[in-house]
């Protein structure tokens, strides 16, 4: 049986653990070779993905800072050199500050904007030009957040506040950037979409408890919930879907 992404090559950022790891695992299960990019070493994660895929799929770990143009370009160039092509980019790497506006410091503001928005811009540009453009095909999936839609929903209970204004601004920017690029590259055979998670159980949220009063589905989401949505948008079967934001939030952002 031919898998839907068999022989394709995908880059997933922030993929050594959490949502990014689940996404890379999902794409590998669909037959794609995957390049795991993270600021920490993802070699063990890459090995696990290869074992799980059961043969025929390569998983390669690259250590890089998504805020660095030189490191981003090096990852893209090395991917094409080692695997021969680049079909899918998933911009997942992110940071989240939970500092309110009154207490906000420049370091937190710049960190969230640089990682979440600048990193998405840098990788998207490097992947599309020239590789996806020249191939006449590509899937870019950006991981935003319902904070970028709702401005940091009142979802958090004990253990910390809601996501801060820098995070909300950066994730809202990702959504706007996605729409702009989608309009620019649609005629090139490239789709660009966003997945907007709600509260997801990852190491980033381990120290927090959440209220689910505003959610239709009253539980934390899982990395696999997000991976399923990304896998759909990354598939060759979604060639007529672009510029969209798919909310995966248990109904917290209905409307």
């Amino acid at each position: 049986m031919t898998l839907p992404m068999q022989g394709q090559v995908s880059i997933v950022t922030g993929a050594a653990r959490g949502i990014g790891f689940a996404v890379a695992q999902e794409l590998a299960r669909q037959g794609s070779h995957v390049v795991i990019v993270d600021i920490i070493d993802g070699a063990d994660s890459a090995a696990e993905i290869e074992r799980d895929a059961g043969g025929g799929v390569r998983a390669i770990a690259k250590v890089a800072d998504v805020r660095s143009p030189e490191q981003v370009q090096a990852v893209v160039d090395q991917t094409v050199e080692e695997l021969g092509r680049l079909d899918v980019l998933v911009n997942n790497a992110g940071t989240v500050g939970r500092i309110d506006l009154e207490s906000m410091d420049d370091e937190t503001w710049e960190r969230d904007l640089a990682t979440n928005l600048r990193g998405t811009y840098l990788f998207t540009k490097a992947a599309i030009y020239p590789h996806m453009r020249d191939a006449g095909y590509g899937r870019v999936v950006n991981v935003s957040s319902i904070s970028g839609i709702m401005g940091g929903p009142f979802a958090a209970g004990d253990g910390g506040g809601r996501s801060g204004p820098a995070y909300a601004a950066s994730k809202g920017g990702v959504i706007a950037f996605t729409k702009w690029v989608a309009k620019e590259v649609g005629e090139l055979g490239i789709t660009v979409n966003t997945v907007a998670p709600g509260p997801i159980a990852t190491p980033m949220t381990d120290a927090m408890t959440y209220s689910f009063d505003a959610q239709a589905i009253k539980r934390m989401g899982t990395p696999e919930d997000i991976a399923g949505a990304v896998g759909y948008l990354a598939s060759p079967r979604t060639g007529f879907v672009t510029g969209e934001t798919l909310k995966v939030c248990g109904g917290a952002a209905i409307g």
Side-chain angles (χ1 to χ4, degrees), residues 6-197:
Q6 188 164 339
Q8 292 195 351
V9 173
S10 303
I11 291 175
V12 184
T13 70
R17 58 187 177 181
I19 291 172
F21 173 77
V23 167
Q25 195 168 47
E26 170 65 22
L27 300 185
R29 287 170 177 168
Q30 291 195 40
S32 177
H33 306 297
V34 292
V35 176
I36 294 171
V37 182
D38 210 302
I39 204 165
I40 63 174
D41 185 9
D44 290 344
S45 299
E48 182 176 345
I49 288 170
E50 282 197 354
R51 289 194 301 268
D52 177 75
V57 167
R58 292 185 64 189
I60 300 171
K62 302 285 186 183
V63 175
D65 186 338
V66 301
R67 299 169 295 184
S68 165
E70 295 80 14
Q71 294 183 39
V72 167
Q73 191 64 56
V75 167
V76 172
D77 291 346
Q78 290 165 15
T79 295
V80 175
E81 180 179 348
E82 294 174 30
L83 297 174
R85 56 194 287 179
L86 176 56
D87 303 278
V88 175
L89 168 66
V90 181
N91 287 303
N92 167 74
T95 57
V96 54
R98 299 187 182 277
I99 302 172
D100 63 22
L101 181 60
E102 183 178 8
S103 305
M104 177 59 63
D105 58 273
D106 289 348
E107 182 180 358
T108 300
W109 179 269
E110 295 297 336
R111 183 200 65 183
D112 283 2
L113 267 290
T115 306
N116 303 341
L117 186 53
R118 176 176 168 82
T120 296
Y121 147 69
L122 289 174
F123 255 108
T124 299
K125 183 178 179 181
I128 291 176
Y129 302 108
H131 305 293
M132 292 180 178
R133 178 195 63 194
D134 291 353
Y137 178 89
R139 299 283 183 267
V140 178
V141 185
N142 299 321
V143 179
S144 179
S145 168
I146 61 168
S147 288
I149 299 170
M150 304 173 70
F154 290 106
D158 295 336
R162 64 187 181 127
S163 56
Y167 182 77
S170 67
K171 292 301 190 178
V174 167
I175 292 171
F177 177 72
T178 297
K179 293 177 180 179
W180 194 97
V181 179
K183 293 177 181 179
E184 184 79 359
V185 301
E187 65 181 7
L188 303 177
I190 303 166
T191 66
V192 190
N193 292 287
T194 306
V195 171

